[in-house]
Amino acid sequence: MNYDVVVAGAGPVGLMLACELRLAGVDVLVVERLTEVDTTVKAGAINSPTAEALYRRGLLPELEEIQRENLERFASFTRQRVATDGQPPARAPKFAGHFAGIMLSGDLLDEADPDLTAAGPAGEVGFIPQISLELLLARRAAELGVELRRGVELTGLDAADDHVTVHLGDETVRAGWLVGCDGGRSTVRKLAGFDFPGTAPGITGRQAVVEMEGSERLKTGWNWTPTGTYAHGPVPGRILTVEFDGPPADRDTPVTAEELQTSLRTVSGVDDVTVTRVHSATRFTDNARQASDYRKGRVLLAGDAAHVHSPFGGQGLNLGIGDAVNLGWKLAATVQGRAPEGLLDTYTAERHPIGAWVLQWTRAQVALMRPESHASALRDVVAELAGTVDATTYFVKKISGVWQRYDIPGDHPLVGRSAPDLELADGSRLADHLHDGRGVLLDLAGSREEVRGAAEGRVKVVAARSSSELGGLLVRPDGIVAWAASDVAAALPDLDAALARWFVPHASLACASPAAG
């Protein structure tokens, strides 16, 4: 069988990429070795770029409902603690995040910072667990007609100049492109021969949702002890332990109740806590590696297949979703013959620096969490700093991803950044015009006739008014600003250059597919 793209891996990254490709009309097959959705507890939140990406595809109502249910579980955990040990009730936290377990108070956040006000309604969601996001994306993929085969393992690949032969056990399929979204121990990455430099692991972490007896003496939140770090909550039964005596001897064996209990007792010092049932559990390390290039010919990598690191701060999920959103429209344009020269090469150029930053960010957290005197002293200093408005705002901006910017040509300060979610005079917002995954030229200066010739057949032109001082905004399908100007007429040459750089060249319009942006 022939497909435009085969995606290996049906986690959030693979599903997001498949949705983006299918939205553009690409014939895509997703293969996943697991027979069911992985319910293992993982990341507990999404950042601003992830929330914006989902909002721009019309999924905000579902995110709001997931967050509401999650906050209710947090409230249930709080009531349970009050009933069992008399701890004073805590209000649901304003989502702010943490750095190395040092909690950040949303009450100290400078909400007037312009970087924190541009996301629009997407800025109100964040408390979204990874499993909930994966289930949402699986439903979305089914609605779009993505072909998903579970219980199918990729066992081999043969890459040629014009296609990739993918071996799925006894079956063979031919694809124009193959994308490995198959996790940190990616089969695609290994078979294709990507290099994967980085630093070796030094910790063993365990995260689980369990039932326990004698947990009253466990402190909630993040805690540091002479033997490691542990966290309890913010939902019932969730525990996390980190020991700094090296990586696990075996990553593949199931995590048992006895193993979790031993680790929890060792790290917490609470020697009578008993784990009676395990609902979900996983091990992790601080192995930190990154592929030097995310593409080798017709084989590409995204998510953990392209970069691995410790999970502290939940950066991995969001980094992978960012990969998928960046790659999806570029690969679709390439498949359909409407990509300007070099478009697909910008995937690694734009995403690799952000991945490298995440690796450094997580390495710094591991160093700060170590149970030794120098790290403890430094942790005290960072915790004191984190109790200020400036430092809280700094950390939140880093964790939330609002700082992210691609180094692309253009003089306007918005170029390369996530587009502000402008509210338009007709009651719509910019995100409403991105639901179909096409590029948008937002004409705010009434100059539609001037820009129509340049944009015809490349992107859709939305003529509207807003309170913004901008005259025009060219937004890529991934929500990144490719051109912006106050004076559209004076900036038309730059607009022409941006359209040629990111969208189908004029000479290709006659043969571009109907799905062309």
Side-chain angles (χ1 to χ4, degrees):
M1 299 183 67
N2 295 330
Y3 295 90
D4 293 329
V5 180
V6 170
V7 175
V13 178
L15 290 171
M16 187 73 194
L17 176 61
C19 288
E20 292 292 282
L21 291 168
R22 190 72 197 124
L23 190 63
V26 171
D27 185 21
V28 57
L29 168 66
V30 180
V31 294
E32 168 58 55
R33 64 177 182 83
L34 299 179
T35 57
E36 302 290 341
V37 173
D38 183 5
T39 59
T40 303
V41 58
K42 294 180 182 176
I46 60 175
N47 68 3
S48 185
T50 296
E52 287 180 305
L54 297 166
Y55 167 47
R56 287 165 177 154
R57 297 301 183 255
L59 297 174
L60 183 63
E62 288 91 336
L63 293 179
E64 291 173 333
E65 177 61 19
I66 291 170
Q67 178 166 268
R68 183 190 64 77
E69 293 173 354
N70 213 30
L71 288 172
E72 287 181 358
R73 285 193 289 271
F74 172 84
S76 173
F77 175 68
T78 301
R79 290 192 296 269
Q80 178 184 348
R81 295 295 296 191
V82 171
T84 56
D85 60 16
Q87 287 188 8
R91 63 180 175 85
K94 184 173 184 180
F95 179 71
H98 72 86
F99 183 77
I102 299 170
M103 302 307 294
L104 303 170
S105 171
D107 296 331
L108 292 175
L109 185 62
D110 179 8
E111 296 184 343
D113 189 299
D115 288 335
L116 299 172
T117 59
E124 301 300 318
V125 293
F127 206 13
I128 310 294
Q130 180 166 330
I131 179 58
S132 299
L133 178 58
E134 185 168 338
L135 291 170
L136 170 60
L137 291 173
R139 292 193 297 270
R140 171 70 166 170
E143 292 169 359
L144 291 171
V146 170
E147 183 178 349
L148 170 58
R149 298 189 200 173
R150 292 193 176 274
V152 175
E153 187 168 3
L154 187 149
T155 55
L157 65 91
D158 299 302
D161 291 340
D162 60 350
H163 71 280
V164 182
T165 301
V166 182
H167 303 284
L168 307 173
D170 295 334
E171 183 183 5
T172 298
V173 300
R174 179 186 172 111
W177 300 83
L178 170 64
V179 186
C181 302
D182 50 343
R185 288 176 276 183
S186 168
T187 299
V188 172
R189 184 186 67 235
K190 295 172 183 175
L191 291 175
F194 285 86
D195 65 338
F196 204 47
T199 52
I203 69 170
T204 295
R206 299 171 179 90
Q207 185 170 207
V209 176
V210 302
E211 294 178 18
M212 295 178 288
E213 294 178 356
S215 63
E216 295 82 4
R217 290 175 56 202
L218 292 175
K219 295 179 181 180
T220 57
W222 286 78
N223 305 275
W224 301 270
T225 74
T227 51
T229 300
Y230 79 95
H232 183 207
V235 294
R238 185 261 186 172
I239 58 171
L240 179 147
T241 67
V242 184
E243 297 175 70
F244 294 81
D245 53 357
D250 189 344
R251 286 284 306 274
D252 297 321
T253 57
V255 182
T256 64
E258 181 181 5
E259 178 184 343
L260 290 168
Q261 178 177 291
T262 299
S263 181
L264 186 58
R265 288 181 176 183
T266 298
V267 175
S268 70
V270 179
D271 56 11
D272 57 352
V273 62
T274 301
V275 176
T276 59
R277 184 179 179 185
V278 179
H279 293 285
S280 168
T282 186
R283 298 183 194 88
F284 62 86
T285 74
D286 59 335
N287 184 33
R289 299 182 181 278
Q290 183 181 23
S292 301
D293 197 317
Y294 294 177
R295 176 189 176 192
K296 287 191 70 172
R298 288 181 172 262
V299 181
L300 300 110
L301 303 176
D304 289 348
H307 35 69
V308 295
H309 49 82
S310 74
F312 300 128
Q315 292 287 337
L317 168 64
N318 296 296
L319 182 59
I321 293 294
D323 291 346
V325 174
N326 185 284
L327 174 59
W329 69 278
K330 296 174 181 177
L331 183 54
T334 302
V335 166
Q336 296 170 336
R338 53 185 178 84
E341 184 177 355
L343 178 65
L344 199 54
D345 293 331
T346 67
Y347 169 54
T348 296
E350 292 181 351
R351 294 303 300 171
H352 195 279
I354 294 177
W357 175 86
V358 168
L359 264 64
Q360 289 293 79
W361 187 255
T362 57
R363 286 181 178 121
Q365 291 182 76
V366 172
L368 204 60
M369 295 166 68
R370 292 191 179 282
E372 51 92 12
S373 57
H374 291 82
S376 177
L378 184 58
R379 192 163 56 243
D380 289 343
V381 173
V382 174
E384 185 174 349
L385 286 172
T388 67
V389 172
D390 286 347
T392 295
T393 302
Y394 166 82
F395 278 118
V396 169
K397 286 170 67 171
K398 290 294 186 180
I399 294 168
S400 69
V402 299
W403 62 273
Q404 295 178 12
R405 179 174 184 173
Y406 298 145
D407 184 15
I408 64 178
D411 295 330
H412 196 280
L414 286 177
V415 171
R417 305 201 63 165
S418 179
D421 189 43
L422 299 177
E423 187 172 2
L424 307 179
D426 62 3
S428 68
R429 304 185 74 102
L430 175 56
D432 298 326
H433 300 283
L434 291 165
H435 287 186
D436 59 3
R438 298 174 63 194
V440 171
L441 177 57
L442 192 61
D443 175 18
L444 301 171
S447 53
R448 184 176 175 87
E449 295 302 323
E450 296 179 72
V451 301
R452 187 196 302 272
E456 194 77 43
R458 294 170 160 183
V459 298
K460 59 182 176 182
V461 179
V462 175
R465 296 289 184 181
S466 82
S467 59
S468 170
E469 296 181 357
L470 285 169
L473 201 65
L474 177 63
V475 183
R476 304 188 326 190
D478 58 356
I480 298 299
V481 176
W483 168 87
S486 299
D487 186 342
V488 173
L492 277 178
D494 292 335
L495 173 60
D496 286 335
L499 286 164
R501 178 173 292 109
W502 301 111
F503 299 99
V504 55
H506 270 302
S508 302
L509 292 178
C511 60
S513 74

